[in-house]
Amino acid sequence: MLRRLSRSAWGALFLVWPDLVQPYELIKAKRDGQKLDPSDIRAFIEAYTAGTVADYQMSAMCMAIFFKGLDARELGAWARAMLESGEVLDLSDTPAVKVDKHSTGGVGDKVSLSLAPLAAACGVPVPMISGRGLGHTGGTLDKLESIPGFRVDLPTSEYRRLVREVGCCLIGQTAQVAPADKKLYALRDVTATVDCIPLIASSIMSKKLAEGIDALVLDVKVGSGAFMKTVDDARTLARTMIGLGAEMNRKVVALLTDMDQPLGRQIGNALEVREAVDMLRGEAPEDYTEITYALTAEMLVLGKKAASVAEAREKLRKSVADGSAVRKLKEIVQSQGGDPRAIDDYSRLPTARSTVDVVAPADGFVTSIHTEGVGLAAVALGAGRQRVDSRIDPAVGFTLLKKVGDAVTRGEPMVRVHYNDAAPVEDVKARLLAAYRVGPDAPAPRPLVLARVE
Amino acid sequence: MLRRLSRSAWGALFLVWPDLVQPYELIKAKRDGQKLDPSDIRAFIEAYTAGTVADYQMSAMCMAIFFKGLDARELGAWARAMLESGEVLDLSDTPAVKVDKHSTGGVGDKVSLSLAPLAAACGVPVPMISGRGLGHTGGTLDKLESIPGFRVDLPTSEYRRLVREVGCCLIGQTAQVAPADKKLYALRDVTATVDCIPLIASSIMSKKLAEGIDALVLDVKVGSGAFMKTVDDARTLARTMIGLGAEMNRKVVALLTDMDQPLGRQIGNALEVREAVDMLRGEAPEDYTEITYALTAEMLVLGKKAASVAEAREKLRKSVADGSAVRKLKEIVQSQGGDPRAIDDYSRLPTARSTVDVVAPADGFVTSIHTEGVGLAAVALGAGRQRVDSRIDPAVGFTLLKKVGDAVTRGEPMVRVHYNDAAPVEDVKARLLAAYRVGPDAPAPRPLVLARVE
């Protein structure tokens, strides 16, 4: 009934039923810089979930929030209403402190694939609800599904059992989890209201808390390939999330990590699974290994399995060295219907039929890699999605033979393209070449972890 | 296709089809304070009219415009695209300068009912497309329809013929006229983006220019019962409209007029028709008469039927004195299917069965009348609409026996309520009593015309 009722008409009705929540009045109040009452925020989001506040009203509200913000009290109410718009999973039958990690997204970011088994191998239960790739960033679910048989659509009863018995379960968001956020995220994505810190923070927290976690490690990517372009913005987001966590009695620790170039060397779903397994064997590139260690160590501390980050890192190194990390991954794969042999034998993973290399245009050093350009090249190749309903090819992707700081000689391969369909390859090669900058001088190395916010 | 395509996906597509208009990019550009290209504005509005830009994208754009504005070039493109989203009526078979009046709306504002026949009687053709009442303001169409048989849904061929032969025709907005505005207005009304001067100005101009007019007199109401609460805001709107008119080669003159209390003494559809006829006979309250004269005089000057406002006012007085104004009204009524005898014999107009008076609570003077409160009381009585699909009763309404500055004695009638259904009467009386302020001192008189902007 709210949908098409006019503002003026609401004015009239308001005098009759003063208790009625009026979407128009709330949008206007926020637009005019007023503070919204938590109960009104809850009613607004409940009505949005139910469909009585229309998409066009919510998009206007989000744009007003973009300009006027939400204070801590408003933000807490907003996030809580989104969380409580759906099912909040009860994992109390797993008594240990349950910890998850959330990344703001990047290219080649396969950290979850190695971090989850690592943390679980060290005794921290990891209940993880992940997303699919869209646009230039990949998604954990797509990567997992490149393992033959792996199922991410388990019922919540099974999810609960696996967290308890295996110590980890990785599934997709169900319709029951934070439906308000699901609806709102799709809306923000097409109305230029994504890059708004209170909306980002409440979206992440409403989804993550619905998983049943006790604590969260946040990986805020910073750089050309990330949502947050500057350390300042990333720090603001981290602080907002931490404050929101405190408001909801959840401990949140954030690392600000570099995303000025893709993480690791493999990009593409099955290729990233390989690199993740390599990492659990201690054989992955240093940047990806280090970021995984840094984030997982925080999880061990939050999960009370280590007294310090140093102690945690030692435990992680041990679980890699003694093979328990890889064994935990296999156990997870098997428990979710996947073929654990693929972890030992990569030929059981989807593999592209052909490869071709992009070569260096000159002698010198790789001075930068335009991360988003590489991500969009992966989309063009079929490794990622242009649209929510796009099909992806799990086998295709890139191996970055050269990364920032590496020396190259003219004609030397920089990127290996793994492909099945030749049609997009020329375009993809051109995009990759355009994404690489080669110059005469090696750039100064950048730190991988830029800051820690608690 | 644009509707649910994600922003990230657009980013990807953009590299493939750089010419594609991306709603997301335009919303973001405006949100970030950039100037939009006129061709992009046109494409955005065309896509909105066609439904490929969704309501939720347009509402986000309107909220961004609320904060960031539109400059003269953007506004011109916006208004022109809205105008050209539909049919622009061609009245070139009426060679004289055709002039209309637009009011930003108030309570008791029956100016169009007397102004149109007055101007036409003085030789200025008046093509007038009007609206219905909604919320606390009434609508010209509803008032006209209280005349038995009067039709406002004439085909455009008939509209064109009557402007040419009778010198005036008053109809409702058809689906063919500025459909983008029709859609957008309904959307703004429920998304708190109505009170935004560039959107108001372009909405009015796109509708009015579609009528086929050459010039426009704008009545910008100022005060507690008006959209524009201050003279400064009203002046800004007037200047924006005049600039937009110049951009589109139409002359616009604006009067800023008082709406701190209802205009005239009658409120309600048939009651306002009576008062309008009274005016054409020279027997109406001074405020309503003066506002009508002032606005119609501007029309005569714009329509080149008078060299000055003074000369125009003399002509208007003459047309009232010699009966030609009333005759023109009867001619208009007859030409649109109405019963012209109702103009001479008010008993042929809908008449309420009962009346009851609201009396003064104390001795003193009426110091203020809360205009919007009176308008909402009229809605509650059934004279106006709470919702677009509400039915109205043409007979019911109020006679304001006392207006601001009038002396009252305790128990003396201040407002006469004309009603058919007794159910809402107590509520209506309470609202009217609450809308009136009675104090010991007479307030200083306010000017009726606050400014003229050209």
Side-chain angles (χ1 to χ4, degrees):
Chain A
M1 188 183 94
L2 300 196
R3 291 182 73 92
R4 280 290 180 188
L5 200 48
S6 83
R7 194 257 333 155
S8 320
W10 273 111
L13 288 176
F14 187 59
L15 294 178
V16 186
W17 301 309
D19 291 343
L20 206 61
V21 172
Q22 301 175 83
Y24 170 88
E25 293 299 334
L26 291 181
I27 301 167
K28 183 168 185 297
K30 178 45 63 187
R31 184 198 79 181
D32 294 342
Q34 294 169 34
K35 300 296 173 203
L36 305 185
D37 191 78
S39 64
D40 286 341
I41 287 176
R42 164 168 293 269
F44 189 79
I45 287 181
E46 281 174 357
Y48 177 62
T49 310
T52 49
V53 161
D55 278 343
Y56 49 78
Q57 292 176 313
M58 182 55 99
S59 66
M61 176 65 98
C62 287
M63 188 59 85
I65 290 171
F66 178 90
F67 284 101
K68 295 293 184 175
L70 292 175
D71 71 11
R73 188 156 170 265
E74 291 175 310
L75 183 58
W78 186 279
R80 196 177 292 273
M82 297 235 292
L83 169 63
E84 293 172 2
S85 71
E87 190 181 357
V88 180
L89 297 173
D90 176 9
L91 299 182
S92 56
D93 59 348
T94 300
V97 179
K98 295 160 287 290
V99 189
D100 189 14
K101 184 255 342 176
H102 178 81
S103 158
T104 59
V107 175
D109 180 4
K110 70 282 289 176
V111 168
S112 292
L113 302 182
S114 47
L115 165 145
L118 260 176
C122 294
V124 177
V126 183
M128 189 180 273
I129 297 182
S130 298
R132 298 197 177 273
L134 189 61
H136 78 280
T137 61
T140 297
L141 297 184
D142 298 322
K143 294 170 194 176
L144 289 169
E145 282 183 342
S146 71
I147 301 168
F150 198 102
R151 284 185 55 198
V152 297
D153 59 344
L154 304 180
T156 54
S157 58
E158 188 68 359
Y159 169 81
R160 190 180 294 113
R161 184 181 72 79
L162 292 178
V163 171
R164 189 177 66 232
E165 296 181 2
V166 178
C168 177
C169 185
L170 303 125
I171 60 170
Q173 195 179 342
T174 67
Q176 285 74 45
V177 167
D181 176 69
K182 199 161 188 163
K183 216 175 146 180
L184 184 55
Y185 193 86
L187 182 68
R188 286 167 52 213
D189 197 39
V190 291
T191 55
T193 49
V194 169
D195 44 346
C196 169
I197 283 175
L199 296 179
I200 295 169
S202 53
S203 171
I204 295 171
M205 288 302 276
S206 67
K207 271 182 296 208
K208 286 287 145 183
L209 295 197
E211 293 173 343
I213 56 169
D214 302 303
L216 180 67
V217 176
L218 187 63
D219 179 10
V220 184
K221 304 287 191 192
V222 188
S224 70
F227 212 60
M228 298 287 137
K229 305 295 180 197
T230 68
V231 171
D232 279 352
D233 281 354
R235 199 184 297 273
T236 304
L237 175 60
R239 287 196 174 134
T240 304
M241 298 274 302
I242 290 164
L244 199 44
E247 173 96 10
M248 299 168 95
N249 298 316
R250 301 299 199 290
K251 177 95 179 173
V252 179
V253 171
L255 298 185
L256 277 41
T257 70
D258 183 56
M259 186 45 72
D260 228 32
Q261 64 172 330
L263 188 65
R265 292 190 182 271
Q266 304 283 21
I267 293 160
N269 297 288
L271 290 168
E272 294 190 43
V273 169
R274 291 186 191 205
E275 194 165 45
V277 180
D278 288 347
M279 201 250 109
L280 295 179
R281 293 204 170 93
E283 296 161 7
E286 192 199 325
D287 61 342
Y288 167 40
T289 303
E290 172 53 27
I291 296 284
T292 304
Y293 269 63
L295 291 164
T296 319
E298 298 287 351
M299 291 174 73
L300 263 57
V301 174
L302 286 172
K304 302 191 190 307
K305 299 299 174 190
S308 68
V309 166
E311 185 192 330
R313 291 181 75 106
E314 193 44 47
K315 287 201 170 188
L316 297 176
R317 266 191 291 272
K318 192 162 162 288
S319 76
V320 168
D322 68 13
S324 59
V326 170
R327 280 197 302 279
K328 181 56 75 179
L329 175 61
K330 286 193 217 170
E331 193 186 345
I332 294 167
V333 168
Q334 184 144 34
S335 74
Q336 296 198 226
D339 181 356
R341 294 173 299 174
I343 302 306
D344 291 323
D345 175 6
Y346 294 164
S347 73
R348 292 180 182 269
L349 291 171
T351 307
R353 283 187 296 273
S354 313
T355 64
V356 64
D357 291 345
V358 177
V359 301
D363 292 349
F365 294 89
V366 177
T367 54
S368 71
I369 302 175
H370 189 273
T371 314
E372 190 172 348
V374 174
L376 292 175
V379 172
L381 188 64
R385 284 188 185 75
Q386 276 179 337
R387 301 172 53 158
V388 178
D389 54 357
S390 304
R391 281 181 66 100
I392 59 168
D393 182 341
V396 303
F398 313 131
T399 304
L400 307 186
L401 305 169
K402 301 291 178 188
K403 292 194 64 183
V404 173
D406 290 347
V408 292
T409 55
R410 184 183 152 90
E412 186 184 14
M414 296 193 300
V415 183
R416 183 150 300 154
V417 178
H418 304 254
Y419 67 96
N420 284 319
D421 175 11
V425 169
E426 283 312 307
D427 172 46
V428 165
K429 286 175 67 181
R431 286 167 184 264
L432 289 169
L433 195 60
Y436 268 71
R437 287 276 172 281
V438 174
D441 302 310
R446 287 169 61 101
L448 290 168
V449 177
L450 305 169
R452 180 175 187 279
V453 189
E454 194 176 4
Chain B
M1 189 183 89
L2 299 197
R3 292 184 72 95
R4 279 290 180 188
L5 202 47
S6 83
R7 194 256 333 156
S8 321
W10 272 113
L13 288 177
F14 187 59
L15 293 179
V16 187
W17 301 307
D19 291 342
L20 206 61
V21 173
Q22 299 176 85
Y24 170 87
E25 294 299 333
L26 291 181
I27 300 166
K28 183 167 185 298
K30 178 46 64 188
R31 183 199 79 179
D32 294 343
Q34 294 168 33
K35 299 295 173 205
L36 304 185
D37 191 80
S39 64
D40 286 341
I41 288 176
R42 165 168 293 271
F44 189 80
I45 288 180
E46 280 174 359
Y48 177 61
T49 311
T52 49
V53 160
D55 277 344
Y56 49 76
Q57 293 176 312
M58 182 55 99
S59 66
M61 175 65 99
C62 287
M63 189 59 87
I65 290 172
F66 179 88
F67 284 102
K68 295 294 183 174
L70 291 174
D71 71 10
R73 187 155 169 267
E74 292 175 310
L75 183 58
W78 186 280
R80 196 177 293 272
M82 295 234 294
L83 170 63
E84 292 172 3
S85 71
E87 189 181 358
V88 180
L89 297 173
D90 175 9
L91 299 181
S92 56
D93 61 347
T94 300
V97 178
K98 293 160 289 286
V99 189
D100 189 15
K101 184 255 341 178
H102 178 81
S103 159
T104 58
V107 175
D109 180 4
K110 70 283 288 175
V111 168
S112 291
L113 302 182
S114 47
L115 165 145
L118 260 177
C122 294
V124 177
V126 183
M128 189 179 273
I129 297 183
S130 298
R132 297 197 178 274
L134 188 62
H136 77 280
T137 60
T140 297
L141 297 184
D142 297 322
K143 295 169 192 176
L144 289 168
E145 283 181 342
S146 72
I147 301 168
F150 199 101
R151 285 185 54 201
V152 297
D153 60 346
L154 304 179
T156 54
S157 57
E158 188 69 358
Y159 170 80
R160 189 179 297 114
R161 184 182 72 80
L162 292 179
V163 171
R164 189 178 66 233
E165 295 181 3
V166 178
C168 178
C169 186
L170 303 125
I171 60 171
Q173 197 178 339
T174 68
Q176 285 74 45
V177 168
D181 177 69
K182 199 161 190 164
K183 219 176 142 179
L184 184 55
Y185 193 87
L187 181 68
R188 287 167 53 213
D189 196 40
V190 291
T191 56
T193 49
V194 169
D195 43 346
C196 169
I197 284 175
L199 296 179
I200 296 169
S202 52
S203 171
I204 295 171
M205 287 302 277
S206 67
K207 272 182 296 207
K208 285 287 148 184
L209 295 197
E211 294 173 344
I213 56 169
D214 303 303
L216 180 67
V217 175
L218 186 65
D219 179 9
V220 184
K221 303 288 191 191
V222 187
S224 69
F227 212 60
M228 298 287 138
K229 304 294 179 197
T230 69
V231 171
D232 279 353
D233 281 354
R235 197 185 298 273
T236 304
L237 175 61
R239 288 198 174 131
T240 304
M241 297 275 301
I242 290 164
L244 198 45
E247 173 96 12
M248 299 169 94
N249 299 314
R250 302 297 200 290
K251 177 97 178 173
V252 179
V253 171
L255 298 185
L256 277 43
T257 71
D258 183 57
M259 186 47 70
D260 229 32
Q261 64 172 330
L263 189 64
R265 293 190 180 270
Q266 305 283 20
I267 294 162
N269 296 287
L271 290 169
E272 294 190 41
V273 168
R274 291 185 193 207
E275 194 167 45
V277 179
D278 287 347
M279 202 249 110
L280 295 178
R281 293 205 170 94
E283 296 160 8
E286 192 197 324
D287 61 342
Y288 167 40
T289 302
E290 171 52 28
I291 296 284
T292 304
Y293 268 65
L295 291 164
T296 318
E298 297 289 351
M299 292 175 73
L300 262 57
V301 174
L302 285 171
K304 300 192 191 306
K305 300 300 176 189
S308 67
V309 167
E311 186 191 330
R313 292 180 73 105
E314 193 45 47
K315 287 200 169 189
L316 297 175
R317 267 188 293 272
K318 192 162 161 290
S319 76
V320 167
D322 68 12
S324 58
V326 172
R327 278 197 301 278
K328 181 57 72 177
L329 174 61
K330 287 193 217 170
E331 193 184 345
I332 294 168
V333 168
Q334 183 144 35
S335 73
Q336 297 198 224
D339 181 356
R341 292 173 301 174
I343 303 306
D344 291 324
D345 175 5
Y346 295 163
S347 73
R348 291 179 183 270
L349 289 172
T351 306
R353 284 187 296 274
S354 312
T355 63
V356 64
D357 290 345
V358 177
V359 302
D363 292 350
F365 295 89
V366 178
T367 55
S368 71
I369 302 175
H370 190 273
T371 313
E372 192 171 347
V374 174
L376 292 175
V379 171
L381 188 65
R385 284 187 186 76
Q386 277 180 335
R387 301 172 52 159
V388 178
D389 54 357
S390 305
R391 282 181 63 99
I392 60 168
D393 182 341
V396 303
F398 312 132
T399 304
L400 307 186
L401 304 168
K402 301 290 177 187
K403 292 195 64 183
V404 172
D406 288 348
V408 292
T409 55
R410 185 183 150 91
E412 186 185 12
M414 294 193 300
V415 184
R416 181 151 301 154
V417 178
H418 306 253
Y419 67 96
N420 283 319
D421 174 12
V425 168
E426 283 312 306
D427 172 46
V428 166
K429 284 174 68 181
R431 286 167 184 265
L432 289 169
L433 195 59
Y436 268 71
R437 288 275 172 282
V438 174
D441 301 310
R446 287 170 59 101
L448 290 168
V449 176
L450 305 168
R452 179 176 187 278
V453 191
E454 193 177 4

